[in-house]
Amino acid sequence: MELSDLLDRPQDVVTWQIDERDLVALVPELSTRIRQLEALRVRLVQEATFRGAITLTGASSAVSWLAESSKLTPAHAKRAMSLGADLDRFPDVRSSFENGDIDTEQARSIIGLLLKVPDYTSDIKNSGNGGEFDDPAAECADQCTKYLLTNGARENAEDTRRRVAGLASMLQPDDTTPPDDENEKLNEFFASRTAGGRLRVKGHFDKATGEQLMTALSALSKPEPGRNTTRGEREPDSRSAPQRRADAFADIVRHYLDSGAAPGEGGERPHMTVFVGLGDLARTTREAGIEPQDAGTSFIRRGPAWMPWLGPIGLRLAATLSCDASITPIVMDDDGNPLDVGRTTRLIPRRLRRALHARDCGCAFPGCGRPAAWTDGHHVHHWSNGGETKLSNLVLLCRFHHTLIHKGDWQVHIGDDQHPWFTPPHWIDHERKPIPAHNRGQLPLAC
């Protein structure tokens, strides 16, 4: 079957009637034709602009006419217009583009480099002044064009972009202003609170900073199969790639603050502050199943738990954050005025934390095992309900599994062997057989 037979009325093509061999042959042929048609549109728009034909349509500009008539965004239309004008200066690129060897993005990347070649070669003298080249800019542009077009014909736009960036880094003199992608002075990072109370961040960084960030995120954002059944079966990580990167970023920030290496602010080391009533906290941990519910016990809320930067938070999150934290008791009167500020104490002292590291070797949740440095110390019986801060009442959990335990579906207890055991919810195991901690389910290797 010929491609031309399909293009007369493509909407009427019955794909199931096409032979398998024809199917796999038609797709790349159609892709080449699409690139050729895109090049043809650029040529037609350029000719219409040159003749002034756009004025016949009543449009205010060629860009607005193209965007409206072709259902393109204004930005896409503007790029097409500028590409048509630039192609006149580089006939080899135009020929490759019109033949369908390269697409629009490849043509734009290549032309973007060729336009900068005169600046890159301005310090090279030609042969008339005792140099080695008749026309340094022309010779450099010719070599770059052949190299990029030859490779562009068999690769995608991203590959071509990387080749262009590589050539630019080699050609640019060392004593000039760095290109935008390497200029750290152009870095920006925005953080704003949304109407729903979340924090939205966006930004862009130079290559060196970006490489450092991606390196830091890479090891922490790998998929982590979970062990969710008593038979030891591993299920795929249910988080998407953006979710894994967000979790990794949160771990990096938390680890940095915990390290104490950050500069002080307001006379104190950076820390996250949570204000919550002790009675509210105790009630929440009981309702979550972390402590047995006492009949007849009730607490009146003094107000929401909250944080200085982002405002009110749920009591469940407050309970999770309070498991392994420094606590400063503040006595308030009925009008909310502080009467007395007690001494700040850390719930889990460093010596006990080291003992937890030695016992659990990291996150104890079955199938996890994240490094101990990235974990919280969770109170099996919450301290707000009288639970003691001692080895037999503590377990190391990463933030993800710490939150999971506080939801109350999974439960954890310290067994007769003095190690954590985890009880899955009934929909995972109807018998709810306890599962040993991660390091206890592995081979007895040193941690």
Side-chain angles (χ1 to χ4, degrees):
M1 178 174 290
E2 299 295 330
L3 180 62
S4 57
D5 298 333
L6 307 181
L7 296 182
D8 289 338
R9 290 188 58 83
Q11 67 273 23
D12 294 336
V13 174
V14 183
T15 55
W16 65 266
Q17 294 180 344
I18 302 176
D19 180 80
E20 288 83 352
R21 292 182 178 83
D22 288 338
L23 281 173
V24 297
L26 286 170
V27 170
E29 186 179 351
L30 177 61
S31 299
T32 299
R33 185 64 62 87
I34 290 173
R35 293 193 294 271
Q36 292 172 339
L37 293 174
E38 178 65 29
L40 177 58
R41 179 167 64 179
V42 170
R43 288 169 57 198
L44 294 175
V45 169
Q46 186 185 16
E47 185 67 21
T49 304
F50 176 74
R51 296 190 193 182
I54 307 301
T55 58
L56 301 176
T57 67
S60 59
S61 67
V63 171
S64 62
W65 166 76
L66 178 60
E68 180 67 23
S69 62
S70 303
K71 296 185 178 181
L72 300 176
T73 64
H76 190 169
K78 186 176 181 179
R79 288 196 298 268
M81 297 290 297
S82 62
L83 177 61
D86 289 335
L87 284 170
D88 284 340
R89 301 176 57 181
F90 305 102
D92 289 341
V93 179
R94 174 185 286 278
S95 176
S96 183
F97 180 43
E98 293 177 352
N99 288 336
D101 297 330
I102 60 174
D103 63 17
T104 304
E105 292 303 314
Q106 289 174 297
R108 292 182 65 246
S109 295
I110 295 171
I111 289 176
L113 174 71
L114 297 180
L115 289 173
K116 297 177 181 178
V117 166
D119 293 332
Y120 292 155
T121 58
S122 61
D123 61 338
I124 302 177
K125 297 180 180 180
N126 59 34
S127 58
N129 294 321
E132 298 179 1
F133 305 99
D134 292 334
D135 188 342
E139 292 190 28
C140 181
D142 182 63
Q143 293 177 16
C144 289
T145 300
K146 290 179 180 178
Y147 170 74
L148 292 172
L149 292 180
T150 299
N151 287 283
R154 55 174 178 264
E155 63 189 16
N156 59 42
E158 178 63 20
D159 293 332
T160 299
R161 187 194 65 79
R162 290 178 180 272
R163 290 186 187 276
V164 166
L167 286 174
S169 66
M170 291 188 293
L171 292 172
Q172 182 168 1
D174 294 334
D175 58 349
T176 60
T177 301
D180 288 352
D181 58 357
E182 296 180 13
N183 191 349
E184 62 182 19
K185 294 182 179 180
L186 300 179
N187 291 356
E188 291 182 315
F189 183 83
F190 303 92
S192 60
R193 184 180 174 183
T194 68
R198 295 179 64 84
L199 184 70
R200 181 185 301 277
V201 298
K202 66 177 182 178
H204 53 86
F205 303 95
D206 62 282
K207 282 185 174 179
T209 304
E211 185 72 15
Q212 292 172 346
L213 177 60
M214 295 306 295
T215 299
L217 292 175
S218 177
L220 294 172
S221 59
K222 294 178 181 177
E224 295 181 0
R227 186 169 130 185
N228 295 328
T229 70
T230 55
R231 297 186 298 274
E233 297 175 351
R234 293 207 170 219
E235 296 184 356
D237 194 326
S238 60
R239 300 172 299 165
S240 65
Q243 288 173 327
R244 296 198 306 270
R245 286 192 293 270
D247 289 345
F249 186 75
D251 279 344
I252 291 171
V253 172
R254 186 161 55 91
H255 184 64
Y256 172 67
L257 293 177
D258 288 345
S259 70
E265 184 178 33
E268 296 183 285
R269 288 181 176 177
H271 60 280
M272 184 169 63
T273 303
V274 178
F275 298 88
V276 60
L278 182 61
D280 297 334
L281 196 60
R283 183 186 63 180
T284 298
T285 53
R286 286 190 177 98
E287 291 175 351
I290 299 173
E291 281 282 338
Q293 176 69 50
D294 293 335
T297 301
S298 68
F299 293 94
I300 299 175
R301 293 286 300 275
R302 292 188 58 88
W306 60 283
M307 300 185 297
W309 282 103
L310 294 179
I313 62 172
L315 286 175
R316 179 176 290 170
L317 175 58
T320 302
L321 297 174
S322 68
C323 260
D324 187 4
S326 296
I327 305 297
T328 304
I330 303 177
V331 180
M332 313 284 287
D333 65 16
D334 291 338
D335 295 323
N337 297 308
L339 298 177
D340 181 58
V341 180
R343 181 179 178 183
T344 299
T345 58
R346 184 164 182 83
L347 285 181
I348 303 178
R350 295 187 182 279
R351 296 175 67 180
L352 183 54
R353 179 87 185 191
R354 285 196 289 266
L356 275 172
H357 289 193
R359 187 195 69 186
D360 294 344
C361 301
C363 180
F365 193 89
C368 185
R370 297 199 77 176
W374 305 98
T375 59
D376 298 327
H378 170 71
H379 287 72
V380 176
H381 300 294
H382 203 274
W383 63 270
S384 63
N385 290 319
E388 298 182 67
T389 301
K390 60 182 182 180
L391 191 61
S392 59
N393 190 43
L394 294 169
V395 57
L396 289 182
L397 295 171
C398 69
R399 182 51 57 92
F400 176 81
H401 289 116
H402 194 181
T403 302
L404 183 68
I405 291 294
H406 272 274
K407 289 181 179 179
D409 297 329
W410 281 80
Q411 295 178 355
V412 60
H413 71 276
I414 303 299
D416 295 337
D417 58 356
Q418 298 304 306
H419 285 270
W421 288 76
F422 295 81
T423 303
H426 64 85
W427 63 82
I428 292 179
D429 177 15
H430 68 279
E431 297 183 359
R432 305 201 69 190
K433 294 181 179 179
I435 304 173
H438 175 77
N439 68 310
R440 302 283 285 178
Q442 312 300 311
L443 293 175
L445 300 175
C447 57

